């Protein structure tokens, strides 16, 4: 394998330029930061540079970072959000590849070696890998993300409005030259929210996506599904069991997704000169609508939504280009359980559909 040995002088000091930069984006995660840094340092040391960007933490994160001395490149900045950390990380990455690791996630031993091998064999713009879902104590929940894998050529489907299956931020590595066609992100617009969304989907329009269908890291979910919120209307009181991720309940998904898609369309138009459809098709977004209207709802409301409001939802299942026939059948069958009179059966089916973590949580506790 190739090894880079040149050295550069920059405002962040003299650093050996290697193959990949792991940028750890950190904000007030002192509980998990050391585990994230250690997992990055355990990767190929001759090929990997570790940069930790502290985005204005007010806990003990900076003291933890200082304890690593010269083993990592520390960057201490005022709080500016995820977009500012992504932009700065890309600016500092004088390597061929970059991986953004959230400071509450971890990489497994050998992850970088497999990622680099995939890049060098396939010439991809992005390489993604499966992540185990772990809890706050680093225990496996028995669930992996994503639940299905995309083809290498995702651009055509994305241009028709289908969001391809991707792991969260920490499960994606990028070719720097490809990512620079999409980033940096503007710092003063709504695009500053969920910067990984723009990197993940924008870069797929630049080149092919390599897939490693093996867990190479852990995606940490601090709150298990029963601790998060969902409701049958946007204004109703929160209900347990419908969390999408650490900070996203179903109402947030319904609100944020169209804004992110619109911002991605603007970004792609500006940077790549391409026009994406006005609306995107994504099962996660459509199932959030299902939860909003059907969960904990009376029988008449469930029937009304299924009959009159579910067209896009069922389209996101039946026309899904990434799912097998078996998975489509299972999703439709679970959904139709909502038509049964027993609300407990309906709600159980919704929880199962809404967040696969609920399945892993039951396994983990048994």
């Amino acid at each position: 394998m190739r090894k880079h040995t040149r050295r550069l002088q920059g405002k962040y000091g003299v650093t050996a330029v290697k193959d990949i930069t792991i940028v750890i984006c950190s904000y007030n995660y002192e509980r998990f930061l050391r585990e994230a840094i250690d997992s990055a340092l355990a990767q190929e040391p001759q090929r990997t540079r570790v940069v930790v960007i502290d985005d204005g933490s007010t806990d003990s994160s900076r003291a933890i970072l200082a304890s690593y001395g010269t083993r990592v490149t520390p960057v201490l900045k005022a709080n500016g959000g995820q977009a500012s950390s992504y932009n700065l990380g890309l600016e500092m990455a004088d390597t061929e590849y970059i991986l953004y690791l959230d400071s509450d996630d971890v990489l497994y031993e050998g992850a970088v070696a497999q990622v680099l091998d995939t890049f060098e064999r396939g010439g991809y713009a992005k390489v993604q890998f499966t992540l185990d879902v772990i809890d706050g104590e680093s225990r496996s929940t028995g669930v992996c993300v994503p639940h299905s894998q995309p083809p290498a050529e995702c651009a055509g489907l994305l241009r028709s409005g289908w969001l391809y299956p991707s792991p969260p931020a920490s499960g994606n590595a990028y070719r720097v030259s490809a990512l620079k066609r999409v980033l940096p992100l503007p710092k003063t617009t709504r695009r500053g929210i969920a910067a990984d969304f723009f990197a993940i989907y924008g870069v797929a329009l630049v080149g092919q996506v390599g897939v490693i269908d093996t867990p190479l890291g852990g995606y940490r979910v601090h709150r298990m599904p029963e601790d998060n919120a969902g409701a049958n209307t946007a204004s109703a009181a929160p209900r347990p069991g419908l969390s999408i991720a650490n900070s996203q309940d179903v109402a947030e998904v319904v609100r944020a997704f169209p804004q992110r898609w619109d911002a991605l369309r603007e970004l792609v138009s500006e940077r790549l000169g391409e026009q994406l459809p006005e609306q995107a098709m994504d099962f996660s977004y459509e199932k959030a609508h299902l939860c909003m209207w059907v969960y904990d709802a009376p029988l008449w409301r469930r029937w009304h939504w299924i009959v009159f409001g579910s067209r896009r939802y069922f389209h996101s299942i039946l026309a899904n280009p990434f799912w097998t026939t078996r998975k489509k059948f299972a999703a439709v069958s679970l959904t139709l359980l909502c038509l049964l009179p027993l609300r407990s059966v309906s709600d159980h089916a919704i929880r199962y559909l809404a967040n696969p973590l609920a399945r892993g949580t039951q396994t983990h506790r048994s």
Side-chain angles (χ1 to χ4, degrees), residues 87-128:
N87 290 345
L88 183 55
L90 186 60
E91 176 187 334
M92 295 180 62
D94 192 47
T95 52
E96 191 167 359
Y97 311 107
I98 185 171
L99 187 155
Y100 292 97
L101 177 66
D102 287 344
S103 58
D104 54 340
D105 295 341
V106 296
L107 295 174
Y108 295 161
E109 183 178 356
V112 160
Q114 291 193 52
V115 166
L116 291 176
D117 181 64
T118 303
F119 266 124
E120 292 168 356
R121 284 188 292 106
Y124 299 109
K126 188 192 94 164
V127 169
Q128 66 178 55

Side-chain angles (χ1 to χ4, degrees), residues 180-259:
K180 283 185 175 180
R181 294 188 59 188
V182 180
L183 304 186
L185 294 167
K187 301 178 183 179
T188 57
T189 71
R190 64 188 184 278
R191 298 171 186 160
I193 301 174
D196 56 314
F197 181 88
F198 305 98
I200 288 169
Y201 296 109
V203 80
L205 297 172
V206 177
Q208 290 192 328
V209 175
V211 175
I212 302 175
D213 192 11
T214 303
L216 297 184
Y219 168 62
R220 194 184 306 275
V221 172
H222 316 150
R223 301 185 300 174
M224 289 295 102
E226 69 274 18
D227 296 327
N228 286 327
N232 57 12
T233 66
S235 59
R239 298 292 302 173
L242 298 179
S243 64
I244 303 300
N246 287 323
S247 61
Q248 285 191 305
D249 60 27
V250 292
E252 184 178 351
V253 171
V254 169
R255 180 180 64 254
F257 180 80
Q259 298 175 352

